[in-house]
Amino acid sequence: MWGQIGINTTLPSAALDVNSKETTADTRAFEVNNSDALQLLKVQNNGNLGINIGTVPASDILHATNDIKHEGLPVLQLPYNALAINSSGAAGVSPAVTKYFYFKRSAAFADYSLFDPNVYTNIPFSDGADVLGNTVGFTFGTDATGTVNGQPVSNIKYLVIPEPGVYLFEMYQTAYCNNLPAVSSNTGQVMLKTVFGTAGTTGSAYAVNTVSMDYMIPRRNASGAISATSYSYANPQKLIVAYQSTVANEKVALFINYAGGDKFTSEVCSMNKPAGSDNFGYLIVTKL
């Protein structure tokens, strides 16, 4: 009378109303097969839809094999990705999350010498109040003894990269040495390297990956005024490196290394706080 057809129901509520025969989750209320009796499309009792998945039950609301073509979707702007796929193959729209590590040093890193290119001094990074953000999930450790470029170094404080990927390291600090150098050269300055080293997942032999060289300008006091007996000006030391980690839990560490010029044989060199600054240097790492 109303032009409605009911299958497994005496009261159809639509032009075609199909009810399942059974109540199990994978009972098929609707099924389409091809000429070879292969299932192409099925709707299960639990509402899951399967397309080209064969006889296995559909495990999600939409469970399909092969490519799916979408047209006319809205274009989403940052911080959103148009499409995200999780490890189980489920698709959805998801915000893009930037993973980062932010360390701002609140105390001076002091008492090292600058005179021998074979001596490496570790730049320490430890967990605590100086860690202002760590969504990348870095962990910390200490090697009581180790080597850098084959040279012995003690008390190496390192960072552990938890997962493979490309990471942008940006470190900034300022260095000074209190008093005149023990040995003067004709350069009138100290050449200082900042070294980025890696040691795999369990080793303590750090290989040099990247070196950044800067200079310490003499004859300046902490305020920048000319002084005949001072190396106390805040001399910027920078390191920027994009590093690709290919294994989980890889160890990385940073070091200071003398490169040339005037020499300070006693431990009178430090990482200082520039005038007007609130920190003794920082490290920012971003997972790209």
Side-chain angles (χ1 to χ4, degrees):
M1 174 177 185
W2 301 103
Q4 294 173 325
I5 298 174
I7 300 177
N8 285 331
T9 176
T10 59
L11 296 171
S13 59
L16 176 62
D17 190 345
V18 181
N19 285 358
S20 296
K21 290 179 60 178
E22 306 291 341
T23 59
T24 61
D26 61 347
T27 297
R28 294 178 296 283
F30 181 73
E31 179 180 310
V32 177
N33 299 321
N34 67 8
S35 58
D36 294 323
L38 297 176
Q39 290 183 17
L40 302 179
L41 175 70
K42 57 187 168 187
V43 180
Q44 296 172 183
N45 190 64
N46 62 359
N48 289 357
L49 172 64
I51 303 173
N52 282 338
I53 63 172
T55 58
V56 299
S59 59
D60 278 290
I61 294 296
L62 174 61
H63 187 173
T65 60
N66 299 326
D67 294 335
I68 300 175
K69 185 175 182 179
H70 298 273
E71 292 184 351
L73 294 177
V75 177
L76 302 177
Q77 304 298 321
L78 291 175
Y80 297 97
N81 291 327
L83 189 64
I85 309 293
N86 68 15
S87 59
S88 300
V93 176
S94 174
V97 178
T98 299
K99 294 184 177 182
Y100 72 97
F101 172 77
Y102 179 27
F103 182 97
K104 187 165 74 170
R105 195 179 302 279
S106 60
F109 161 48
D111 301 330
Y112 55 87
S113 56
L114 292 172
F115 71 97
D116 186 345
N118 293 317
V119 173
Y120 292 83
T121 302
N122 176 235
I123 302 174
F125 295 97
S126 301
D127 200 4
D130 285 348
V131 179
L132 303 185
N134 189 15
T135 61
V136 75
F138 280 0
T139 54
F140 306 82
T142 302
D143 285 323
T145 59
T147 61
V148 181
N149 207 23
Q151 302 300 321
V153 183
S154 60
N155 196 33
I156 301 174
K157 294 186 179 298
Y158 58 81
L159 298 170
V160 178
I161 301 175
E163 59 184 13
V166 178
Y167 295 81
L168 179 64
F169 285 75
E170 300 174 274
M171 193 208 71
Y172 178 88
Q173 64 185 32
T174 56
Y176 84 112
C177 296
N178 188 20
N179 217 325
L180 287 177
V183 179
S184 296
S185 68
N186 59 6
T187 64
Q189 58 193 358
V190 178
M191 290 174 284
L192 180 62
K193 294 178 181 177
T194 303
V195 177
F196 179 88
T198 63
T201 58
T202 59
S204 60
Y206 289 81
V208 174
N209 174 271
T210 303
V211 175
S212 176
M213 183 181 293
D214 285 291
Y215 298 89
M216 295 174 60
I217 303 173
R219 293 174 56 87
R220 294 288 188 275
N221 62 21
S223 300
I226 293 177
S227 171
T229 61
S230 181
Y231 255 87
S232 298
Y233 187 61
N235 296 273
Q237 309 295 315
K238 304 174 294 296
L239 177 75
I240 300 176
V241 56
Y243 177 69
Q244 182 176 7
S245 178
T246 58
V247 295
N249 300 318
E250 185 172 17
K251 298 165 59 175
V252 299
L254 278 71
F255 305 87
I256 289 176
N257 177 234
Y258 172 79
D262 291 352
K263 297 182 178 182
F264 288 87
T265 56
S266 57
E267 295 184 344
V268 295
C269 299
S270 302
M271 179 190 301
N272 64 336
K273 181 191 294 186
S277 175
D278 67 344
N279 66 82
F280 290 81
Y282 60 80
L283 172 67
I284 299 174
V285 185
T286 308
K287 190 173 189 293
L288 302 180

